[in-house]
């Protein structure tokens, strides 16, 4: 098992290295540069050249990449090309906002999906099972931005007008005291990840409920509630936990689209702004952060999968 985990760790490091190369190469393909974005289209060639020299944009690409990689290993993310502020300070608040968004989404989606999948399995073939199965299939087929637009039309227009369509946070107040701006972004993410967990939970629970040890427990007269909580649920939750970890990993990337849709000041919106400003240090830091979270949750999913599989757990 330790060997498998070590392999996953090595693969994760390689993935992060490849991501750093790809994002650096992709940034070179963008039209214009930070000097052009700062000075505008009316800047003279002399001013552009002077600013590029000041920002070290005149250096060869490989030299800038190696400098950035060295700074990254030393714990420095560099300074923003757009405003000169340290990148770490610049993305700290955005990261905290996104963490709050992801935390509430995961906290609501996980138990809700497990409960819905379990309830659907227990009511197999009945109306509630058909409604949940069809509803989760429809929601799984919809992209998150479509779900977000539907929620905006329903809850932020003349239909109900309960919540703001744009998540404008007041910097003078804690994000926890501004719950109304979080409702629609969190609801969009919950509806985006819940269908997969619900369907996996239903399928796994059906398989466990039909297993021999559950049937034997029922034949011995064990109450159905005890059969469910002590025998069925613990055995069904293992494979589902792997899916939950993968869905949480998806949230790290999926949050970009949702934050852009609601203008939420998180890492997704910061990513869009950094591309617009050709702010390479901020862009690289945010992409590496998202990639790290994605790799981390995939590693957790792999470990959960290994622990829930006796063959992999005892493999040498």
């Amino acid at each position: 098992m330790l060997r498998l985990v070590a392999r996953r760790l090595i693969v994760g490091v390689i993935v992060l290295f490849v991501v750093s190369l790809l994002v650096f190469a992709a940034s070179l393909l963008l039209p214009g540069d930070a000097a052009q974005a700062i000075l505008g289209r009316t800047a003279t060639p002399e001013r552009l050249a002077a600013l590029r020299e000041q920002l070290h944009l005149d250096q060869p690409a490989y030299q800038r990449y190696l400098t950035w990689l060295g700074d990254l290993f030393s714990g420095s993310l560099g300074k923003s090309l757009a405003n000169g502020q340290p990148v770490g300070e610049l993305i700290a608040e955005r990261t905290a906002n996104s963490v709050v968004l992801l935390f509430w989404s995961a906290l609501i989606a996980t138990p809700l999906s497990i409960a819905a999948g379990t309830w659907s399995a227990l009511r197999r073939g009945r109306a509630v099972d058909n409604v949940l199965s069809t509803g989760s299939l429809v929601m799984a087929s919809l992209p998150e931005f479509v779900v977000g637009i539907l929620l905006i039309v329903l809850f932020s227009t003349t239909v109900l007008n309960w919540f703001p369509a744009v998540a404008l946070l007041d910097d003078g107040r804690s994000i926890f005291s501004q719950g109304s701006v979080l409702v629609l972004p969190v609801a969009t993410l919950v509806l985006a990840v819940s269908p997969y967990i619900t369907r996996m939970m239903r399928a796994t629970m059906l398989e466990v409920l039909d297993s021999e040890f559950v049937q034997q427990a029922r034949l011995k007269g064990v109450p159905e509630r005890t059969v469910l909580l002590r025998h069925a649920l613990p055995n069904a939750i293992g494979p589902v936990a792997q899916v939950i970890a993968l869905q949480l990993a998806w949230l790290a990337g999926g949050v970009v689209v949702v934050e852009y849709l609601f203008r939420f000041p998180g890492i997704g919106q910061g990513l869009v702004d950094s591309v617009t400003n050709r702010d390479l240090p901020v862009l690289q830091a945010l992409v590496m952060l998202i990639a790290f979270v994605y790799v981390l949750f995939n590693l957790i999913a792999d470990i959960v999968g290994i622990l829930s599989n006796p063959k992999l757990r005892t493999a040498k």
Side-chain angles (χ1 to χ4, degrees), residues 16-25 27 59-79 87 279-289:
L16 291 176
F17 175 69
V18 173
V19 168
S20 71
L21 284 174
L22 290 177
V23 68
F24 188 83
S27 65
Q59 295 179 351
Y62 75 89
Q63 187 174 343
R64 281 185 284 155
Y65 174 76
L66 292 177
T67 302
W68 170 78
L69 198 61
D71 291 341
L72 183 65
F73 278 112
S74 65
S76 173
L77 297 176
K79 292 185 178 180
V87 173
D279 198 344
L280 185 56
V282 176
L283 175 64
Q284 289 172 323
L286 289 174
V287 171
M288 292 303 296
L289 177 63

